[in-house]
Amino acid sequence: MNRLQIIILSSSVIALACFGNARSAPDPSAIPVWLVSRGYHTGLVLPSKAAAGKIMPLAGESGGYAEFGWGESRYYQSPTVELSDAPRALFFSSGSVVRLEFCGDDLESKFSSSGFVLRFDLTGDQFEALCRFIDESFVKKDGFVTRESIERDGAVGYYTSVHHYSIINTCNTWAARALEAAGTGMSSAGIIFAFQLRSRAADRSSMVK
């Protein structure tokens, strides 16, 4: 190997070391989905129109964005939280709900209050899988979902879920499983807290905030 070949090879190795993990530009046909935090809680923001035929409570939606989260039924819907509510939710939960919030088109204000925001650019198949996981989280009877309560003039709804909430199966576990089901390459194993989810998801996404 002559000197020129050595220089070229060395330059290539250095370039790969520096830029090998750099992200390529997102596919323009990709569908963006955001993982957002509210401190200890996390949720997923989806474009409503893209998910309208895939997630039952979004049927007929033609625009804007929707945030989905999951949590213990009584704790999640309570307007005020007592000191005893958290242990009861973690150890003696009687049920869980999926929370749906219609966000409109203004994601900037939506994200401004978030602890962190991670963006995933999903293929059509990945988005289908994500929507299927979310849709299958609702209890359905006779082709309908059960809404337990609403807030803010219908902008927020809580729907009965099939999943069981516990100290080792939290809202962050649910969000992680949704992203895992979407084929993002991340594992949901052992995720309980938001900081764990952020760390696990960081190298599969792009940081927005």
Side-chain angles (χ1 to χ4, degrees):
M1 184 179 292
N2 61 38
R3 177 177 293 182
L4 179 59
Q5 290 173 315
I6 293 173
I7 292 173
I8 293 172
L9 179 60
S10 300
S11 299
S12 299
V13 171
I14 292 170
L16 287 171
C18 293
F19 305 111
N21 292 325
R23 300 184 187 281
S24 58
D27 183 340
S29 65
I31 303 171
V33 170
W34 295 267
L35 172 67
V36 298
S37 78
R38 300 286 181 267
Y40 65 87
H41 177 83
T42 53
L44 294 164
V45 176
L46 285 66
S48 298
K49 183 177 180 179
K54 304 172 178 64
I55 300 176
M56 191 171 288
L58 291 183
E61 291 298 314
S62 59
Y65 297 88
E67 179 182 352
F68 291 91
W70 177 77
E72 202 274 333
S73 179
R74 180 176 165 185
Y75 187 91
Y76 212 2
Q77 297 180 80
S78 177
T80 59
V81 178
E82 302 295 334
L83 186 63
S84 61
D85 286 340
R88 183 200 54 75
L90 292 171
F91 297 102
F92 306 104
S93 172
S94 59
S96 69
V97 289
V98 178
R99 179 183 185 272
L100 165 59
E101 177 178 352
F102 292 98
C103 310
D105 293 307
D106 187 8
L107 288 184
E108 184 175 349
S109 62
K110 176 70 178 175
F111 293 162
S112 63
S113 61
S114 300
F116 65 82
V117 180
L118 298 175
R119 172 173 169 157
F120 295 81
D121 291 301
L122 305 183
T123 66
D125 288 344
Q126 288 177 318
F127 188 73
E128 287 271 357
L130 175 67
C131 290
R132 185 163 53 250
F133 176 90
I134 294 174
D135 188 65
E136 290 175 352
S137 294
F138 295 94
V139 167
K140 297 188 180 74
K141 185 176 181 180
D142 299 326
F144 295 94
V145 294
T146 303
R147 187 169 64 185
E148 296 189 7
S149 65
I150 59 173
E151 296 176 353
R152 290 164 39 192
D153 297 323
V156 177
Y158 296 86
Y159 299 81
T160 309
S161 174
V162 301
H163 301 300
H164 179 71
Y165 189 92
S166 72
I167 193 172
I168 58 172
N169 189 32
T170 69
C171 58
N172 305 302
T173 314
W174 180 85
R177 286 175 178 162
L179 292 170
E180 183 177 42
T184 61
M186 67 166 287
S187 169
S188 63
I191 290 181
I192 298 173
F193 302 106
F195 73 86
Q196 293 175 302
L197 178 53
R198 176 179 180 173
S199 176
R200 189 79 58 84
D203 65 346
R204 306 290 177 179
S205 63
S206 55
M207 177 68 72
V208 176
K209 177 189 175 199

